[in-house]
Amino acid sequence: MKEFTYKITDPIGIHARPAGMLAKKAAELDSTVTIIKDGKSVDTRRLMALMQLGIKENDEITVRIEGGNEDRNAHEILTFLESNKY
């Protein structure tokens, strides 16, 4: 299992469009990607659950990667988040 924290920098947070893009990216990986915010955790592939977390600017999330090539997949998710400025 790999985990990292990430601070959301996008002024509108992770709303519908970026949540969909993140869910699609997670579905491409051979690991389970879980996002944890305020004690609630969701499988990133579950779009509606991800949106229900209500992730806003300056929120800190924890990203957990389990299974598959965890190091590579953690790097891919972090790169995705940084390149989309979430």
Side-chain angles (χ1 to χ4, degrees):
M1 175 179 67
K2 299 289 285 184
E3 277 189 2
F4 63 88
T5 58
Y6 186 80
K7 185 174 183 177
I8 304 301
T9 58
D10 189 312
I12 52 179
I14 298 183
H15 57 91
R17 184 171 179 266
M21 293 168 50
L22 182 55
K24 182 178 178 183
K25 179 64 178 176
E28 295 172 359
L29 304 177
D30 60 348
S31 294
T32 300
V33 180
T34 304
I35 290 189
I36 305 159
K37 178 186 171 263
D38 298 334
K40 296 178 184 175
S41 63
V42 300
D43 182 334
T44 310
R45 296 171 294 189
R46 296 184 55 222
L47 178 59
M48 295 306 290
L50 180 58
M51 289 175 46
Q52 287 176 344
L53 287 177
I55 300 170
K56 307 279 187 226
E57 181 181 26
N58 296 319
D59 283 349
E60 276 198 0
I61 59 172
T62 300
V63 180
R64 180 180 296 150
I65 316 293
E66 297 178 275
N69 188 335
E70 294 173 349
D71 291 327
R72 183 197 61 187
N73 293 335
H75 176 74
E76 284 196 37
I77 291 293
L78 179 59
T79 301
F80 176 84
L81 291 169
E82 291 173 339
S83 69
N84 289 290
K85 300 183 181 168
Y86 296 119

